[in-house]
Amino acid sequence: MRAIGYRKASPELDHLEAFDIPRPKPHGRDLLVAVRAVSVNPVDYKIASGGGPGGGSSDPDGVKVVGYDAAGVVEETGREARLFKPGDEVFYAGSVGRQGADMEFHLVDERIVGRKPRRLDFAAAAALPLTSITAWEAMFDRLDVAKPVPGAARAILILGGAGGVGSIAIQLARQLTDLTIVATASRPETIEWAKDMGAHHVIDHRKPLAPQIAALGLGSPAFIFATAPVGSLIADLAELIAPQGRVAPINGEAADLFVFRPKSVSIHHELMFTRPLFQTADMDAQHRLLNEVADLVDSGRVRSTMRENYGRIDATNLMRAMGFLKSGRAIGKIVLAGF
């Protein structure tokens, strides 16, 4: 079967190839999924560049397959699988501890798989799993946004409101919480996108944030969800957040988080691969939350964040998508469909 990957990582992102590898066989709670569409995330180019979390596994011939977002149809199931059956349409993000999903038939543990939203085609569905899991876990498991911060505004600042994670985080926060949502964006098209996703306010991350937050008259926000690198904004964030507030970063950059100590601000790291990587006791939480996201989509409360479809799943299109993502100019999600 066809798979897209590489034998040696390269930061140039010009090294992906099509390989013919054996079709895998499901065991235990695995599903063998016939992949119909995938989307591209920063983790894809980070791992292909030689970094990123986990590191993953390779084919016996040394081929590392890329891709951590997919939608498709269950082809076979392992003997212990009980959540899905052949013919079911599914969507999921997979695990960086295993081969990626950019292959014709892919193995994935059913406990991190959800039913595909009925109202979406495979391409639109493939845009959602990784970012939905990240946003859901960050806001509801890590930040625990349902629990108020004493004296703080019931508000969340989402850095990177037009990115893949920011796009779905805004929608989930709007539909499932009473929070006032303040997103950051800097270009006319990204500002409009963030507003369209449901942000109550959009501020410019290229300018000092604390004065912009103050000008909104909301008070100091209880929560910050940093879907984009914090970088030089760290002191600004420490100034604007409420005492005893909570911050969730998803980038692995080095930052002086000690600046949050005077306010006893708690830091809650989020990596959506933690549950599958460590086979945690609550690993099936991802199955449940993806099903809830599918319900939200099918009820019309949440929509796909697909922005562009680059065509078939091949090495050329994947390298083009990774390069554009790495440029920082992408809005929403890039998808590919069909082999």
Side-chain angles (χ1 to χ4, degrees):
M1 67 170 189
R2 184 179 301 176
I4 311 300
Y6 58 89
R7 283 201 167 92
K8 185 177 180 180
S10 169
E12 300 303 319
L13 298 178
D14 59 356
H15 61 305
L16 298 187
E17 301 178 55
F19 295 92
D20 187 18
I21 65 174
R23 173 170 155 165
K25 183 75 178 172
H27 299 282
R29 298 195 67 175
D30 275 347
L31 308 176
L32 182 67
V33 176
V35 175
R36 300 289 179 82
V38 300
S39 72
V40 187
N41 295 282
V43 66
D44 299 349
Y45 70 72
K46 289 176 182 177
I47 289 178
S49 296
S57 59
S58 298
D59 178 82
D61 291 331
V63 175
K64 171 62 182 169
V65 182
V66 296
Y68 301 98
D69 247 347
V73 180
V74 176
E75 185 80 7
E76 298 178 47
T77 65
R79 293 183 63 180
E80 298 173 24
R82 57 181 181 271
L83 300 176
F84 297 96
K85 63 184 184 305
D88 287 345
E89 296 183 349
V90 297
F91 72 150
Y92 61 91
S95 170
V96 289
R98 305 182 72 172
Q99 285 282 40
D102 293 346
M103 60 174 73
E104 291 184 88
F105 295 94
H106 183 239
L107 283 182
V108 61
D109 191 300
E110 67 171 356
R111 289 171 289 180
I112 58 172
V113 175
R115 70 162 188 86
K116 183 184 78 66
R118 289 183 293 271
R119 71 187 297 165
L120 298 182
D121 62 17
F122 287 102
L128 289 173
L130 184 146
T131 53
S132 295
I133 296 169
T134 300
W136 189 292
E137 290 184 346
M139 293 192 294
F140 304 121
D141 295 344
R142 316 296 179 224
L143 291 176
D144 193 8
V145 296
K147 180 182 177 182
V149 172
R154 286 288 295 163
I156 184 168
L157 174 63
I158 298 176
L159 298 183
V165 177
S167 297
I168 191 65
I170 291 171
Q171 294 187 72
L172 293 177
R174 188 66 184 255
Q175 293 298 324
L176 302 177
T177 79
D178 63 351
L179 296 171
T180 297
I181 304 158
V182 183
T184 72
S186 61
R187 293 176 280 151
E189 59 270 31
T190 56
I191 292 170
E192 185 60 33
W193 178 269
K195 288 180 177 178
D196 202 32
M197 293 294 105
H200 294 99
H201 307 280
V202 181
I203 61 177
D204 190 344
H205 52 247
R206 294 183 180 176
K207 300 175 182 178
L209 296 179
Q212 296 180 77
I213 290 288
L216 295 176
L218 302 171
S220 298
F223 312 107
I224 296 174
F225 182 19
T227 76
V230 172
S232 61
L233 300 174
I234 189 76
D236 224 6
L237 298 177
E239 179 183 350
L240 67 85
I241 195 170
Q244 302 184 94
R246 301 192 280 274
V247 176
I250 63 171
N251 286 277
E253 61 178 329
D256 181 16
L257 301 178
F258 199 73
V259 296
F260 290 108
R261 189 186 182 206
K263 290 184 175 179
S264 294
V265 169
S266 55
I267 309 299
H268 302 264
H269 293 287
E270 163 58 19
L271 177 66
M272 57 78 52
F273 293 116
T274 296
R275 281 170 162 144
L277 267 176
F278 294 94
Q279 300 279 297
T280 61
D282 63 347
M283 183 172 162
D284 62 351
Q286 293 192 350
H287 162 70
R288 295 193 302 271
L289 77 83
L290 284 174
N291 282 348
E292 291 193 52
V293 170
D295 289 341
L296 288 167
V297 171
D298 287 336
S299 66
R301 299 174 66 191
V302 164
R303 72 189 208 195
S304 174
T305 55
M306 179 179 71
R307 171 82 171 192
E308 296 184 75
N309 187 329
Y310 274 24
R312 299 183 69 80
I313 304 169
D314 63 27
T316 299
N317 288 336
L318 280 166
M319 288 187 289
R320 183 164 68 99
M322 286 185 187
F324 187 56
L325 255 185
K326 192 174 182 180
S327 75
R329 294 181 290 116
I331 299 173
K333 295 295 293 292
I334 301 170
V335 304
L336 297 87
F339 281 91

